[in-house]
Amino acid sequence: MINHIPYNKTEPSRLTLDILEKLISFPTVSRDSNLELIYWIRDYLADFDVSCRLTYDFSGKKANLFASLGSGSAPGIILSGHTDVVPTEGQAWDSDPFKAVIKDGAVYGRGSADMKGFIAAALAMAPKFINSGQGFPIHFAFSYDEEVGCLGVRGLIKDLQEIGLQPAGCIVGEPTSMQPLNAHKGAYRFRCSVHGKEAHSSYTPLGVNAIEYAARVILYIRGLADELSREEPRDMAFTVPYSTLQTGTVRGGLAANIVPKSCEFEFDVRTMPDAPYEPLIERIKKFADTLVPEMQHVDPNASIAIECLSTTPGMSISETSPLVRMVKRLSGASEVSAASYTTEAGLFQEAGIPTVVCGPGDIVQAHRPNEFVSLEQLAKCEAFLNALINSDGSTNNGSGA
Ligand SMILES: [Zn+2]
C-alpha cells in the first residue's frame, strides 16, 4: 500500500480552522489553568462517544487529557501535544494574541504554531479516526505545563503505565515544518546556593565572601563546558554538536562595602541525547566540596548546596526504526533532523514508547510576538494525519515506500 498522499491542498479544512480559533481563545499560559480548554476538548470528543482520562496537577487547576479513538487489536499511535502557551506580556503584538486572525495565508495567535495548530488538526480528524476502520487506535495525549519543564505529561505517562497501555509509537506535534525530528538534546536545570558570612569590607578575613566562592564554582562550570567543546565526540546533526552548560543567573550581595553572606546562581546543562548529565553534576559537586573546608575555617556554618530544579531527557531514535520510516513516509520528508531544543518526546521514549517529533509551523515562530502557523502547514498536517489512517499503524512494517 502506498501511504504517502501528495500535498495537493494548500488550505486546511474549515473544521480545523474553527477548532484552532477556539483553542487559541483559551489563554492557557502555563501559570494559569488550562481546564476550560481541556473541558472543551472533552465535550467535543463526547459528541463522538469518546471518553477521556483526565490527570490533574496537585492544585486541581490543570489537567492532561488522554483519549483513544477507533479500535483494533494493535496498540496504536499517540498524537501528543501540549495545551499550555508562553506568556505575551512585554511583546508587541499587532492584534489580541488570544483572538485568532487569519490573514496573508496564516493563522495568527499565541499557540498557533506552538502547538495548538497540531491539536486542532488532530481534533478535526476525530470522526475519521473513529470511523475509518484503520485497525488500530489513535490516542490523543494533550498535556499541561510543557513550557515550564515538561511537568504535566509525566502524570499522563504514569497513568498510561498504571493502566498497562503501551502504544506502538508516539508523534509529538511540535512545530517542525512537518519535517521529522529523530533526536533532540536533554535539558537539566540546577541551583547552587552559597552561604558565607557577612562582615564589614574593611575586615574581609572575618567574613566568607559567598560571591567569590560562587564565582569559583561558576568558573569551574565554564571549564567543564570548554572541556566538552574540545573533547566530546561530535554529532554533526546538531547545530551545537556537543553537550553544553552555562550559568544563566546570579544573585548576591548588598553593597560594595559588605562581605556578601549569600549568593545563588542557576545553571543549565544541555546534553547530547545519549550523554548522561549526572557525571557532570558529580564533578561540580566534588569541586564545590573542595572549597568548603576553607569556608568553614572562618564559619562552621558556611556551605555550598546544589539542587536539581528540572530534568527533561533527550531523545534519539534510529533513522531506520519502523516509526521513523513511517513518519517520513507519511510526511513525504526525505530526511530527518535533530533539534537543540527539548520536547516531551524524551519522556515518552524513557517510558519505552518510540517517539518522533513532527508537526505544523515553524519553531522560529514559537514564543514570538505575532506567532503564526501557515494555512499550508495546517493542510500538510491534515494530509499527514489522513495518510496515518491509511497506514498500518503498527510501525512494524516500515518498508512500504
Ligand atoms: Zn511547544
Side-chain angles (χ1 to χ4, degrees), residues 43 104 116 174 250 260 311 339:
D43 294 346
D104 305 330
K116 291 176 173 176
E174 289 280 355
V250 184
T311 64

Side-chain angles (χ1 to χ4, degrees), residues 82 84 113-115 146-147 173-175 342-343 363 366-367:
H82 61 81
D84 59 321
D114 186 18
M115 53 184 291
E146 189 272 349
E147 298 288 5
E174 289 280 355
T342 58
T343 75
I363 190 69
H367 303 192

Side-chain angles (χ1 to χ4, degrees), residues 218-373:
I218 291 169
L219 280 179
Y220 183 81
I221 290 170
R222 171 61 201 231
L224 271 185
D226 290 340
E227 181 186 311
L228 290 168
S229 77
R230 280 191 313 269
E231 294 171 15
E232 199 181 34
R234 298 292 195 260
D235 180 345
M236 298 316 285
F238 290 86
T239 310
V240 180
Y242 46 84
S243 303
T244 58
L245 53 168
Q246 71 119 21
T247 300
T249 67
V250 184
R251 268 181 296 274
L254 285 174
N257 58 357
I258 303 173
V259 175
K261 68 172 177 192
S262 65
C263 182
E264 215 178 73
F265 67 91
E266 288 183 15
F267 63 99
D268 168 272
V269 184
R270 301 283 168 147
T271 56
M272 298 303 279
D274 299 321
Y277 71 94
E278 293 91 339
L280 297 171
I281 303 308
E282 278 316 304
R283 285 177 67 187
I284 296 167
K285 281 185 174 161
K286 247 188 178 158
F287 174 77
D289 286 346
T290 65
L291 302 175
V292 173
E294 190 181 300
M295 297 164 70
Q296 291 187 342
H297 187 69
V298 179
D299 181 349
N301 293 320
S303 65
I304 302 178
I306 294 173
E307 62 182 310
C308 181
L309 300 178
S310 71
T311 64
T312 307
M315 79 99 176
S316 75
I317 178 169
S318 163
E319 265 190 65
T320 58
S321 73
L323 180 70
V324 174
R325 291 200 304 214
M326 183 181 87
V327 171
K328 274 175 76 177
R329 202 165 62 241
L330 303 184
S331 64
S334 55
E335 51 190 38
V336 293
S337 51
S340 297
Y341 56 85
T342 58
T343 75
E344 294 173 336
L347 290 161
F348 282 104
Q349 194 184 44
E350 207 174 60
I353 304 168
T355 303
V356 171
V357 184
C358 185
D362 190 333
I363 190 69
V364 172
Q365 295 307 325
H367 303 192
R368 290 175 56 87
N370 301 322
E371 176 181 349
F372 69 85
V373 62

